[in-house]
Amino acid sequence: LARVQDTASAHLTMFLDSLQSERLNIVIDIVKVTVMLTGISHVVACIWYGIGANPPGASDSWVEVDGYQDGQVSFMYRYTTSLHWALTQFQGGMDEVRPHNVLE
């Protein structure tokens, strides 16, 4: 995955150098940061949901306490809730969904 990213980054750099447009470079930089932030948030959201769906021992988790078990809400709702939680961690968190055990 890192090799693909390095190759893509090298090709993108060569392409941008050929254009020599400052505005386009700024837009591309914004898109790169947005994609990276979204990718990191996706990974954090998946890990956080995985921990919440399979809590250690008999402890409560955000999935159980807030009623996000299978059958109660759709997969897409659980994923977007996890992604929303992960994105909000960059700016102070959210109160609607919060951790309920030490691992979370």
Side-chain angles (χ1 to χ4, degrees), residues 45 74-87 94:
S74 69
F75 169 77
M76 189 54 95
Y77 189 81
R78 291 182 306 223
Y79 173 73
T80 55
T81 300
S82 298
L83 185 62
H84 181 238
W85 179 86
L87 285 167
M94 64 187 270

Side-chain angles (χ1 to χ4, degrees), residues 37-102:
L37 182 65
T38 303
I40 291 169
S41 296
H42 167 75
V43 170
V44 170
C46 290
I47 291 170
W48 191 63
Y49 179 77
I51 292 170
N54 303 302
S59 61
D60 290 336
S61 72
W62 72 272
V63 173
E64 295 171 359
V65 172
D66 297 329
Y68 291 102
Q69 292 95 346
D70 290 338
Q72 291 183 340
V73 293
S74 69
F75 169 77
M76 189 54 95
Y77 189 81
R78 291 182 306 223
Y79 173 73
T80 55
T81 300
S82 298
L83 185 62
H84 181 238
W85 179 86
L87 285 167
T88 59
Q89 298 313 299
F90 290 105
Q91 60 183 8
M94 64 187 270
D95 294 331
E96 294 85 17
V97 177
R98 57 184 178 26
H100 290 278
N101 63 49
V102 175

Side-chain angles (χ1 to χ4, degrees), residues 12-30:
L12 184 60
T13 302
M14 287 177 13
F15 175 71
L16 291 177
D17 288 343
S18 69
L19 291 178
Q20 297 298 321
S21 170
E22 186 175 340
R23 286 184 180 173
L24 184 60
N25 285 337
I26 291 170
V27 169
I28 295 295
D29 286 344
I30 290 171

